[in-house]
Amino acid sequence: MKEGKAFLKSRMKWVGLVGLVLSAFSLFVHFLLARFTEDGFSEYQSSVTVFSWRPIFETSDLSRTSPLYRRLWRPVGQLESLHPDANPRGYYAAGPSAQTNGYIFVRIQGGFHEIRSSICDVVAVSRFLNATLVIPEIQQTTSKKGISSQFKSFAYLYNEDQFMAALAKDVNIVKTLPKSLKSARRNKEIPVFRVPHSASPYYYLHNVLPVLIKHSVVEIVVSDGGCLQAILPPHLEEYQRLRCRVAFHALRFREDVQELATKILHRLRAPGRPFIAFDPGMTRDALACHGCSELFQDVHTELIQHRRSWMRKRGIIKGQLSVNSAKQRLKGSCPLTPEEVGILLRAYGYSWDTIIYVSGGEVFGGQRTLIPLHGMFENVVDRTSLSTVWELSKIYGREVNLEENYPKAPPSAQVEMKLDAWKNSGPRPRPLPPPPAKPKTYNIEGWWGWVAESDNEPESTVVELRTNAHKLLWEAIDYIVSVEADVFIPGFDRDGKGHPNFASLVMGHRLYQSAASKTYRPDRKEVVRLLEEIRGHIYHANHTWLTTIRRHLRSSLIDGLIEESNKSKSSSFLSHPVPECSCLRLDSGETSSNSSSNTAHLQVQTALGVVHRCPVWMDGERSSSSKEKENEEDIDENDPSSSGLFFQHSGSQDVGGEDINLKEESQFEDQEEDGGD
């Protein structure tokens, strides 16, 4: 009997041991699969994740044949003959010279749009000087900023291999300097040039080239967003097309960043509706540079004024510290607020259920500045509402937890001495205890608390530096979505130094890739004047005002584009790469019946200066869709179906902090200028 019990116990032990082994093996297999099937897991997770955005539409079906739909979403007919063409046209050597004058090592400082424009410039400079370009170093993305060591500098944002392969016939590009030159750079033995903004080609010929030939290497530091002038002499036009090949073909984002942006685009288009991309352009630097502090209240005004003072001390801007923001706004020098852009879009005819994607790495003032826009449009989204935290953290790479590395600050030596003296003193009278520490009234890692405490802005913490690097990835996602949007509208087109900003690059890319896509370029001065006319009843505008707004927005599709060639192109070629990087495609089948349309097209092409014919292989028979668009050129302006409502909500909505009853406006005819889009 005892032997049987012992046998049973030993058997149970073996069963338990086998169970533990199997459990351990199961856990091992689980972690192994999770490690090596990360991509498959991400696809599964994205399919089952419950996102914060749930679109709400008035009707499930959207009539794509109605005049109103064609007016709101249809491409601009007068620009449909423009097509991208950045290939060399005149004399241009087929490949870079085998013997170069040396190496150019570049360090780029600045934000997303400054990095992008600078890379295009340094490639053109390298070709111009017959030099070998080392993959540029992006200062915002280095391991010491607390970001992942998985990616290094340029590769943090862009695809290195794609960049080198796409430009193999234009410039010699290497990933690193030779070993002998690396040591010279570490010892600071190579010459360094801090290139001025928009330097001329002759600056490089007379200043940089002689030093390059002598030392076989130079280091160039670019800090203002562009190291080559935007408009080059006619004999250097091929370098303009080289810039286009860099910006629109060679500069591809990292694969995982591109994949996440594609997922967001699919989620935006999943409801089967077109969408608008809106870039507010309301950064602290831009508001400080242009003197727009009074657009905000309380501490935000102080922050902007402090930044303006800082920029004046460093010579970034000139002028008085105190600027009349109201006058700046009337001059069109301040951004349009999200509320004002929402009013423009509603006045033009976009319904309350239109999908609006808000782009940009920063909206100064926080989410409260977007409250009026949310009140006018139900489906206002951004990258955070169309992706998960896990998907965003994946593109950052493996980063250490910085919060664990923050030791508590030790008390000062003086406080310790006072405490020791008080504790170790003899009988009374003895010294008073030190006063209690002053309570901390602000978050040292934030950007608001120090205004009341100190005149000096605190140094950026490691967490803030990491966030600045993350902003590059956020703006890369927003850039892809904005370029592919059905409609794009900017709130501002200038950055904190007065140069074209993120929105300008988006508009330039859209102009190159698909010139006919709807891109509004409103005249801020005219828009502010129209808004001031109805300031007292801004949500209950009359028929005449709405018609005026419609005509202005519609004319901005063409007139604003022509104005950009005079205003933005002189500062940034990538914001207006026409006519150098565009060609005219003439469709066979044009008849005298549409001579008025041809005349309108010819006027636009002449104003933009596009005269180059596209290659023969791009010409062809007009598609049926093109013929349909041609037949739709003249929309009946008195057709009730093309009318819309300014506000079509029932009940009350909290817009801009006020409880405004948005009642239905009576329908009105869609009065537009003659000639269609």
Side-chain angles (χ1 to χ4, degrees), residues 213-240:
I213 295 174
K214 180 179 179 180
H215 295 271
S216 298
V217 61
V218 294
E219 181 175 332
I220 293 178
V221 180
V222 185
S223 58
D224 288 333
C227 59
L228 183 65
Q229 67 185 40
I231 300 178
L232 298 177
H235 69 280
L236 297 178
E237 188 173 297
E238 288 299 336
Y239 291 91
Q240 300 289 57

PDB file of all heavy atoms in Angstrom, residues 213-240:
ATOM      1  N   ILE A 213      38.920  72.618 -53.523  1.00  0.00           N
ATOM      2  CA  ILE A 213      40.004  72.064 -54.332  1.00  0.00           C
ATOM      3  C   ILE A 213      41.287  71.944 -53.508  1.00  0.00           C
ATOM      4  O   ILE A 213      42.043  70.972 -53.631  1.00  0.00           O
ATOM      5  CB  ILE A 213      40.230  72.938 -55.582  1.00  0.00           C
ATOM      6  CG1 ILE A 213      38.989  72.874 -56.497  1.00  0.00           C
ATOM      7  CG2 ILE A 213      41.473  72.499 -56.339  1.00  0.00           C
ATOM      8  CD1 ILE A 213      39.050  73.812 -57.681  1.00  0.00           C
ATOM      9  N   LYS A 214      41.519  72.892 -52.626  1.00  0.00           N
ATOM     10  CA  LYS A 214      42.755  72.900 -51.830  1.00  0.00           C
ATOM     11  C   LYS A 214      42.741  71.818 -50.755  1.00  0.00           C
ATOM     12  O   LYS A 214      43.745  71.122 -50.547  1.00  0.00           O
ATOM     13  CB  LYS A 214      42.933  74.277 -51.189  1.00  0.00           C
ATOM     14  CG  LYS A 214      44.194  74.398 -50.348  1.00  0.00           C
ATOM     15  CD  LYS A 214      44.321  75.798 -49.760  1.00  0.00           C
ATOM     16  CE  LYS A 214      45.574  75.906 -48.893  1.00  0.00           C
ATOM     17  NZ  LYS A 214      45.706  77.272 -48.312  1.00  0.00           N
ATOM     18  N   HIS A 215      41.611  71.648 -50.057  1.00  0.00           N
ATOM     19  CA  HIS A 215      41.557  70.735 -48.915  1.00  0.00           C
ATOM     20  C   HIS A 215      40.860  69.409 -49.230  1.00  0.00           C
ATOM     21  O   HIS A 215      40.841  68.522 -48.367  1.00  0.00           O
ATOM     22  CB  HIS A 215      40.836  71.406 -47.744  1.00  0.00           C
ATOM     23  CG  HIS A 215      41.554  72.600 -47.192  1.00  0.00           C
ATOM     24  ND1 HIS A 215      42.500  72.500 -46.196  1.00  0.00           N
ATOM     25  CD2 HIS A 215      41.473  73.921 -47.508  1.00  0.00           C
ATOM     26  CE1 HIS A 215      42.972  73.706 -45.907  1.00  0.00           C
ATOM     27  NE2 HIS A 215      42.359  74.591 -46.689  1.00  0.00           N
ATOM     28  N   SER A 216      40.268  69.292 -50.397  1.00  0.00           N
ATOM     29  CA  SER A 216      39.553  68.074 -50.820  1.00  0.00           C
ATOM     30  C   SER A 216      38.288  67.810 -50.012  1.00  0.00           C
ATOM     31  O   SER A 216      37.624  66.799 -50.231  1.00  0.00           O
ATOM     32  CB  SER A 216      40.462  66.837 -50.732  1.00  0.00           C
ATOM     33  OG  SER A 216      41.558  66.997 -51.593  1.00  0.00           O
ATOM     34  N   VAL A 217      37.950  68.666 -49.065  1.00  0.00           N
ATOM     35  CA  VAL A 217      36.726  68.503 -48.290  1.00  0.00           C
ATOM     36  C   VAL A 217      36.366  69.830 -47.645  1.00  0.00           C
ATOM     37  O   VAL A 217      37.251  70.600 -47.238  1.00  0.00           O
ATOM     38  CB  VAL A 217      36.892  67.410 -47.204  1.00  0.00           C
ATOM     39  CG1 VAL A 217      37.995  67.778 -46.225  1.00  0.00           C
ATOM     40  CG2 VAL A 217      35.572  67.168 -46.460  1.00  0.00           C
ATOM     41  N   VAL A 218      35.078  70.118 -47.591  1.00  0.00           N
ATOM     42  CA  VAL A 218      34.575  71.283 -46.863  1.00  0.00           C
ATOM     43  C   VAL A 218      33.325  70.852 -46.113  1.00  0.00           C
ATOM     44  O   VAL A 218      32.622  69.917 -46.514  1.00  0.00           O
ATOM     45  CB  VAL A 218      34.239  72.481 -47.786  1.00  0.00           C
ATOM     46  CG1 VAL A 218      35.476  73.042 -48.446  1.00  0.00           C
ATOM     47  CG2 VAL A 218      33.187  72.101 -48.804  1.00  0.00           C
ATOM     48  N   GLU A 219      33.077  71.533 -45.021  1.00  0.00           N
ATOM     49  CA  GLU A 219      31.858  71.302 -44.244  1.00  0.00           C
ATOM     50  C   GLU A 219      30.965  72.521 -44.381  1.00  0.00           C
ATOM     51  O   GLU A 219      31.419  73.653 -44.200  1.00  0.00           O
ATOM     52  CB  GLU A 219      32.200  71.047 -42.780  1.00  0.00           C
ATOM     53  CG  GLU A 219      30.972  70.780 -41.912  1.00  0.00           C
ATOM     54  CD  GLU A 219      31.335  70.409 -40.490  1.00  0.00           C
ATOM     55  OE1 GLU A 219      32.432  69.851 -40.286  1.00  0.00           O
ATOM     56  OE2 GLU A 219      30.523  70.693 -39.583  1.00  0.00           O
ATOM     57  N   ILE A 220      29.706  72.280 -44.716  1.00  0.00           N
ATOM     58  CA  ILE A 220      28.744  73.363 -44.909  1.00  0.00           C
ATOM     59  C   ILE A 220      27.659  73.243 -43.847  1.00  0.00           C
ATOM     60  O   ILE A 220      27.087  72.160 -43.654  1.00  0.00           O
ATOM     61  CB  ILE A 220      28.124  73.319 -46.313  1.00  0.00           C
ATOM     62  CG1 ILE A 220      29.192  73.623 -47.370  1.00  0.00           C
ATOM     63  CG2 ILE A 220      26.972  74.306 -46.439  1.00  0.00           C
ATOM     64  CD1 ILE A 220      28.671  73.556 -48.794  1.00  0.00           C
ATOM     65  N   VAL A 221      27.390  74.336 -43.157  1.00  0.00           N
ATOM     66  CA  VAL A 221      26.343  74.377 -42.137  1.00  0.00           C
ATOM     67  C   VAL A 221      25.193  75.221 -42.675  1.00  0.00           C
ATOM     68  O   VAL A 221      25.382  76.397 -43.012  1.00  0.00           O
ATOM     69  CB  VAL A 221      26.868  74.961 -40.808  1.00  0.00           C
ATOM     70  CG1 VAL A 221      25.751  74.991 -39.773  1.00  0.00           C
ATOM     71  CG2 VAL A 221      28.050  74.160 -40.299  1.00  0.00           C
ATOM     72  N   VAL A 222      24.016  74.625 -42.771  1.00  0.00           N
ATOM     73  CA  VAL A 222      22.825  75.316 -43.284  1.00  0.00           C
ATOM     74  C   VAL A 222      21.835  75.439 -42.138  1.00  0.00           C
ATOM     75  O   VAL A 222      21.404  74.431 -41.571  1.00  0.00           O
ATOM     76  CB  VAL A 222      22.196  74.542 -44.455  1.00  0.00           C
ATOM     77  CG1 VAL A 222      21.044  75.341 -45.050  1.00  0.00           C
ATOM     78  CG2 VAL A 222      23.237  74.228 -45.519  1.00  0.00           C
ATOM     79  N   SER A 223      21.474  76.663 -41.796  1.00  0.00           N
ATOM     80  CA  SER A 223      20.605  76.866 -40.629  1.00  0.00           C
ATOM     81  C   SER A 223      19.344  77.652 -40.924  1.00  0.00           C
ATOM     82  O   SER A 223      18.466  77.736 -40.081  1.00  0.00           O
ATOM     83  CB  SER A 223      21.384  77.596 -39.521  1.00  0.00           C
ATOM     84  OG  SER A 223      21.869  78.837 -39.998  1.00  0.00           O
ATOM     85  N   ASP A 224      19.220  78.233 -42.113  1.00  0.00           N
ATOM     86  CA  ASP A 224      18.069  79.086 -42.395  1.00  0.00           C
ATOM     87  C   ASP A 224      17.121  78.493 -43.425  1.00  0.00           C
ATOM     88  O   ASP A 224      16.256  79.188 -43.943  1.00  0.00           O
ATOM     89  CB  ASP A 224      18.531  80.470 -42.863  1.00  0.00           C
ATOM     90  CG  ASP A 224      19.116  81.290 -41.728  1.00  0.00           C
ATOM     91  OD1 ASP A 224      18.721  81.035 -40.577  1.00  0.00           O
ATOM     92  OD2 ASP A 224      19.964  82.155 -41.986  1.00  0.00           O
ATOM     93  N   GLY A 225      17.304  77.233 -43.768  1.00  0.00           N
ATOM     94  CA  GLY A 225      16.331  76.588 -44.632  1.00  0.00           C
ATOM     95  C   GLY A 225      16.640  76.565 -46.102  1.00  0.00           C
ATOM     96  O   GLY A 225      15.985  75.869 -46.860  1.00  0.00           O
ATOM     97  N   GLY A 226      17.624  77.262 -46.561  1.00  0.00           N
ATOM     98  CA  GLY A 226      17.952  77.250 -47.978  1.00  0.00           C
ATOM     99  C   GLY A 226      19.315  77.868 -48.202  1.00  0.00           C
ATOM    100  O   GLY A 226      19.581  78.970 -47.724  1.00  0.00           O
ATOM    101  N   CYS A 227      20.189  77.154 -48.917  1.00  0.00           N
ATOM    102  CA  CYS A 227      21.548  77.660 -49.104  1.00  0.00           C
ATOM    103  C   CYS A 227      21.819  78.035 -50.548  1.00  0.00           C
ATOM    104  O   CYS A 227      22.969  78.280 -50.927  1.00  0.00           O
ATOM    105  CB  CYS A 227      22.565  76.630 -48.624  1.00  0.00           C
ATOM    106  SG  CYS A 227      22.462  75.044 -49.471  1.00  0.00           S
ATOM    107  N   LEU A 228      20.787  78.073 -51.383  1.00  0.00           N
ATOM    108  CA  LEU A 228      20.944  78.470 -52.784  1.00  0.00           C
ATOM    109  C   LEU A 228      19.740  79.306 -53.178  1.00  0.00           C
ATOM    110  O   LEU A 228      18.606  78.969 -52.819  1.00  0.00           O
ATOM    111  CB  LEU A 228      21.064  77.234 -53.681  1.00  0.00           C
ATOM    112  CG  LEU A 228      21.315  77.478 -55.170  1.00  0.00           C
ATOM    113  CD1 LEU A 228      22.673  78.140 -55.374  1.00  0.00           C
ATOM    114  CD2 LEU A 228      21.245  76.168 -55.947  1.00  0.00           C
ATOM    115  N   GLN A 229      19.993  80.372 -53.910  1.00  0.00           N
ATOM    116  CA  GLN A 229      18.892  81.281 -54.252  1.00  0.00           C
ATOM    117  C   GLN A 229      17.823  80.557 -55.055  1.00  0.00           C
ATOM    118  O   GLN A 229      18.098  79.620 -55.812  1.00  0.00           O
ATOM    119  CB  GLN A 229      19.421  82.488 -55.019  1.00  0.00           C
ATOM    120  CG  GLN A 229      19.977  82.178 -56.396  1.00  0.00           C
ATOM    121  CD  GLN A 229      20.599  83.410 -57.041  1.00  0.00           C
ATOM    122  OE1 GLN A 229      21.267  84.187 -56.378  1.00  0.00           O
ATOM    123  NE2 GLN A 229      20.376  83.584 -58.336  1.00  0.00           N
ATOM    124  N   ALA A 230      16.584  81.002 -54.878  1.00  0.00           N
ATOM    125  CA  ALA A 230      15.445  80.291 -55.460  1.00  0.00           C
ATOM    126  C   ALA A 230      15.416  80.407 -56.977  1.00  0.00           C
ATOM    127  O   ALA A 230      15.210  79.421 -57.683  1.00  0.00           O
ATOM    128  CB  ALA A 230      14.147  80.816 -54.855  1.00  0.00           C
ATOM    129  N   ILE A 231      15.605  81.601 -57.494  1.00  0.00           N
ATOM    130  CA  ILE A 231      15.531  81.827 -58.936  1.00  0.00           C
ATOM    131  C   ILE A 231      16.949  81.898 -59.483  1.00  0.00           C
ATOM    132  O   ILE A 231      17.720  82.797 -59.131  1.00  0.00           O
ATOM    133  CB  ILE A 231      14.754  83.122 -59.241  1.00  0.00           C
ATOM    134  CG1 ILE A 231      13.326  83.017 -58.671  1.00  0.00           C
ATOM    135  CG2 ILE A 231      14.715  83.378 -60.740  1.00  0.00           C
ATOM    136  CD1 ILE A 231      12.489  84.263 -58.863  1.00  0.00           C
ATOM    137  N   LEU A 232      17.294  80.938 -60.338  1.00  0.00           N
ATOM    138  CA  LEU A 232      18.633  80.864 -60.914  1.00  0.00           C
ATOM    139  C   LEU A 232      18.648  81.485 -62.307  1.00  0.00           C
ATOM    140  O   LEU A 232      17.602  81.595 -62.960  1.00  0.00           O
ATOM    141  CB  LEU A 232      19.087  79.406 -60.988  1.00  0.00           C
ATOM    142  CG  LEU A 232      19.215  78.664 -59.654  1.00  0.00           C
ATOM    143  CD1 LEU A 232      19.593  77.208 -59.895  1.00  0.00           C
ATOM    144  CD2 LEU A 232      20.246  79.334 -58.760  1.00  0.00           C
ATOM    145  N   PRO A 233      19.824  81.888 -62.793  1.00  0.00           N
ATOM    146  CA  PRO A 233      19.925  82.433 -64.157  1.00  0.00           C
ATOM    147  C   PRO A 233      19.434  81.414 -65.192  1.00  0.00           C
ATOM    148  O   PRO A 233      19.450  80.198 -64.937  1.00  0.00           O
ATOM    149  CB  PRO A 233      21.428  82.719 -64.314  1.00  0.00           C
ATOM    150  CG  PRO A 233      21.946  82.839 -62.922  1.00  0.00           C
ATOM    151  CD  PRO A 233      21.114  81.924 -62.085  1.00  0.00           C
ATOM    152  N   PRO A 234      18.998  81.882 -66.355  1.00  0.00           N
ATOM    153  CA  PRO A 234      18.444  80.964 -67.372  1.00  0.00           C
ATOM    154  C   PRO A 234      19.396  79.839 -67.768  1.00  0.00           C
ATOM    155  O   PRO A 234      18.950  78.713 -68.036  1.00  0.00           O
ATOM    156  CB  PRO A 234      18.154  81.895 -68.559  1.00  0.00           C
ATOM    157  CG  PRO A 234      17.967  83.247 -67.951  1.00  0.00           C
ATOM    158  CD  PRO A 234      18.883  83.294 -66.773  1.00  0.00           C
ATOM    159  N   HIS A 235      20.708  80.102 -67.789  1.00  0.00           N
ATOM    160  CA  HIS A 235      21.631  79.050 -68.221  1.00  0.00           C
ATOM    161  C   HIS A 235      21.803  77.951 -67.162  1.00  0.00           C
ATOM    162  O   HIS A 235      22.445  76.931 -67.430  1.00  0.00           O
ATOM    163  CB  HIS A 235      22.989  79.654 -68.587  1.00  0.00           C
ATOM    164  CG  HIS A 235      23.753  80.198 -67.418  1.00  0.00           C
ATOM    165  ND1 HIS A 235      23.494  81.438 -66.867  1.00  0.00           N
ATOM    166  CD2 HIS A 235      24.760  79.663 -66.678  1.00  0.00           C
ATOM    167  CE1 HIS A 235      24.318  81.655 -65.853  1.00  0.00           C
ATOM    168  NE2 HIS A 235      25.095  80.590 -65.715  1.00  0.00           N
ATOM    169  N   LEU A 236      21.240  78.160 -65.972  1.00  0.00           N
ATOM    170  CA  LEU A 236      21.290  77.139 -64.921  1.00  0.00           C
ATOM    171  C   LEU A 236      19.923  76.498 -64.686  1.00  0.00           C
ATOM    172  O   LEU A 236      19.663  75.941 -63.619  1.00  0.00           O
ATOM    173  CB  LEU A 236      21.797  77.758 -63.613  1.00  0.00           C
ATOM    174  CG  LEU A 236      23.217  78.325 -63.616  1.00  0.00           C
ATOM    175  CD1 LEU A 236      23.551  78.935 -62.269  1.00  0.00           C
ATOM    176  CD2 LEU A 236      24.233  77.235 -63.971  1.00  0.00           C
ATOM    177  N   GLU A 237      19.063  76.548 -65.688  1.00  0.00           N
ATOM    178  CA  GLU A 237      17.711  76.022 -65.517  1.00  0.00           C
ATOM    179  C   GLU A 237      17.701  74.526 -65.241  1.00  0.00           C
ATOM    180  O   GLU A 237      16.809  74.009 -64.558  1.00  0.00           O
ATOM    181  CB  GLU A 237      16.874  76.328 -66.768  1.00  0.00           C
ATOM    182  CG  GLU A 237      15.399  75.989 -66.610  1.00  0.00           C
ATOM    183  CD  GLU A 237      14.567  76.451 -67.789  1.00  0.00           C
ATOM    184  OE1 GLU A 237      14.505  77.671 -68.018  1.00  0.00           O
ATOM    185  OE2 GLU A 237      13.989  75.578 -68.467  1.00  0.00           O
ATOM    186  N   GLU A 238      18.688  73.793 -65.738  1.00  0.00           N
ATOM    187  CA  GLU A 238      18.744  72.363 -65.479  1.00  0.00           C
ATOM    188  C   GLU A 238      18.909  72.059 -63.988  1.00  0.00           C
ATOM    189  O   GLU A 238      18.493  70.999 -63.511  1.00  0.00           O
ATOM    190  CB  GLU A 238      19.879  71.709 -66.276  1.00  0.00           C
ATOM    191  CG  GLU A 238      19.615  71.599 -67.767  1.00  0.00           C
ATOM    192  CD  GLU A 238      18.392  70.762 -68.099  1.00  0.00           C
ATOM    193  OE1 GLU A 238      18.005  69.909 -67.273  1.00  0.00           O
ATOM    194  OE2 GLU A 238      17.808  70.965 -69.177  1.00  0.00           O
ATOM    195  N   TYR A 239      19.521  72.996 -63.254  1.00  0.00           N
ATOM    196  CA  TYR A 239      19.668  72.790 -61.811  1.00  0.00           C
ATOM    197  C   TYR A 239      18.327  72.943 -61.094  1.00  0.00           C
ATOM    198  O   TYR A 239      18.128  72.377 -60.019  1.00  0.00           O
ATOM    199  CB  TYR A 239      20.706  73.766 -61.239  1.00  0.00           C
ATOM    200  CG  TYR A 239      22.103  73.453 -61.698  1.00  0.00           C
ATOM    201  CD1 TYR A 239      22.633  74.036 -62.843  1.00  0.00           C
ATOM    202  CD2 TYR A 239      22.896  72.544 -61.001  1.00  0.00           C
ATOM    203  CE1 TYR A 239      23.909  73.736 -63.282  1.00  0.00           C
ATOM    204  CE2 TYR A 239      24.179  72.235 -61.430  1.00  0.00           C
ATOM    205  CZ  TYR A 239      24.679  72.827 -62.569  1.00  0.00           C
ATOM    206  OH  TYR A 239      25.940  72.515 -63.008  1.00  0.00           O
ATOM    207  N   GLN A 240      17.414  73.704 -61.686  1.00  0.00           N
ATOM    208  CA  GLN A 240      16.061  73.786 -61.131  1.00  0.00           C
ATOM    209  C   GLN A 240      15.350  72.444 -61.274  1.00  0.00           C
ATOM    210  O   GLN A 240      14.670  71.983 -60.344  1.00  0.00           O
ATOM    211  CB  GLN A 240      15.257  74.890 -61.838  1.00  0.00           C
ATOM    212  CG  GLN A 240      15.851  76.291 -61.724  1.00  0.00           C
ATOM    213  CD  GLN A 240      15.729  76.858 -60.312  1.00  0.00           C
ATOM    214  OE1 GLN A 240      16.206  76.264 -59.357  1.00  0.00           O
ATOM    215  NE2 GLN A 240      15.112  78.013 -60.199  1.00  0.00           N
TER     216      GLN A 240
END
